[in-house]
Amino acid sequence: MILSFLLLAALPAVLAQNTGEPIVYDLQHNITSLVGTWSTGSMHVIPGPGFASPAELRFIYPSTTGTAVSFSEDGYYEYAQYSFVSNATNPACITGYMLWSHGAYTNAVNGSMFLIPNGDGYQQVQRTCAAVSNFIENNNDTIVVDWWNIKVDSDFGYVLTMQKFDGTYWAPFKQYSTTPNMLPTQKLRNVTLGPDVSVGVRASEARSGARELGASLALMGASFSLGLLSTAISL
C-alpha cells in the first residue's frame, strides 16, 4: 500500500542502518521533505522530459554521468541513471548504461523503501568489445533501498543518503529542487513484460543514441588508457 506524503512527513527518515527492527522515525533525522528531485555528482542527470522519451525509446544524453530520483507528494517516483562500468581484465572494454524507470514508492516500518516500477522502464546498453554492441531492453526491477536519511552538508545543503539492499551505497544525492521533475506518472508505452525481453528499435532510432553513447565510451576508453578515469567521470 502506497504511503501518502502526509504519512511520510509524519514518519521521516531513519536514524541508522536497517537492523530488521522497527525504525523510530523523528524529525531530528529528516530535516526536510523527501519530495523533490535529488541528483548525484554535478547534478547533470535529472529525471523528466530532459532525460528520457519512453514513447520513442529514446534518451537525451547528459554531459556527465550520475544518478537521480524524483519523489512526488502523492507517492510516485522517477529514476534516471547514466553510468559506465569498467572491465578489470581489459580497461578499454567499457559498458555504458542509460536507464529510466518510474512508478510508485512505499516505506516499510523498518526504514526500508521500495521503488516499484510501472512496467514501462527501459535501458540502453553499449559494450565496446561485445558482438552486439548497442541495444535497448526492458528494465523494470524493483529498487530496494535498505535505509535512507536526509542531513545537511556544510557545502551542498540537503543531502539524501540511500543504502542498497546489498549494503553498498549510492553516491550522495544532493537536492536539485523541492519539486519533482517527472514525466506523467501513468504507463507511457506498451511493452511485453519480462526481464529478458528486448525491445526492438529501428536502426535510425538507435543510431543517434549509439553515436552519443559510443562517443562517450570512446572517450572513457582513452581516459582509462591514460589513467585519468577519476577526472573523466563525474561520480
Side-chain angles (χ1 to χ4, degrees):
M1 179 178 180
I2 303 302
L3 295 178
S4 69
F5 174 67
L6 292 176
L7 183 55
L8 286 175
L11 301 178
V14 299
L15 169 63
Q17 295 186 3
N18 183 357
T19 62
E21 298 297 323
I23 292 294
V24 176
Y25 295 88
D26 59 65
L27 290 174
Q28 180 181 355
H29 301 99
N30 187 23
I31 57 176
T32 192
S33 171
L34 180 66
V35 171
T37 298
W38 305 84
S39 183
T40 67
S42 55
M43 296 195 291
H44 290 157
V45 175
I46 302 297
F51 182 81
S53 178
E56 301 173 300
L57 283 176
R58 184 171 61 87
F59 288 105
I60 298 92
Y61 292 84
S63 57
T64 60
T65 58
T67 303
V69 61
S70 289
F71 298 99
S72 73
E73 186 172 347
D74 53 354
Y76 293 100
Y77 80 92
E78 185 166 325
Y79 182 87
Q81 179 181 317
Y82 179 29
S83 61
F84 294 106
V85 178
S86 64
N87 183 317
T89 304
N90 187 347
C93 292
I94 308 160
T95 302
Y97 294 93
M98 292 283 288
L99 186 154
W100 173 87
S101 70
H102 70 162
Y105 69 95
T106 185
N107 285 273
V109 295
N110 68 351
S112 298
M113 178 163 54
F114 299 90
L115 281 58
I116 304 166
N118 280 354
D120 54 353
Y122 64 104
Q123 67 178 7
Q124 181 176 4
V125 182
Q126 185 163 354
R127 300 186 176 103
T128 56
C129 300
V132 180
S133 61
N134 182 62
F135 59 93
I136 292 177
E137 63 183 359
N138 293 337
N139 188 303
N140 291 293
D141 295 330
T142 295
I143 298 172
V144 179
V145 179
D146 202 44
W147 74 273
W148 60 276
N149 66 13
I150 300 171
K151 294 183 178 179
V152 172
D153 182 273
S154 58
D155 295 320
F156 302 114
Y158 294 122
V159 173
L160 169 65
T161 300
M162 298 200 302
Q163 184 185 43
K164 301 178 184 180
F165 71 94
D166 61 0
T168 63
Y169 291 84
W170 279 272
F173 291 85
K174 292 171 280 188
Q175 188 180 61
Y176 176 80
S177 69
T178 57
T179 56
N181 283 58
M182 286 181 167
L183 292 165
T185 57
Q186 72 267 23
K187 199 170 184 178
L188 297 178
R189 68 185 183 97
N190 294 321
V191 60
T192 302
L193 300 183
D196 300 320
V197 178
S198 293
V199 180
V201 294
R202 293 190 299 272
S204 60
E205 294 174 336
R207 198 172 295 126
S208 174
R211 280 197 300 267
E212 295 201 45
L213 189 52
S216 297
L217 288 169
L219 175 61
M220 295 304 300
S223 299
F224 268 110
S225 300
L226 294 172
L228 298 177
L229 177 60
S230 60
T231 59
I233 300 180
S234 172
L235 295 177

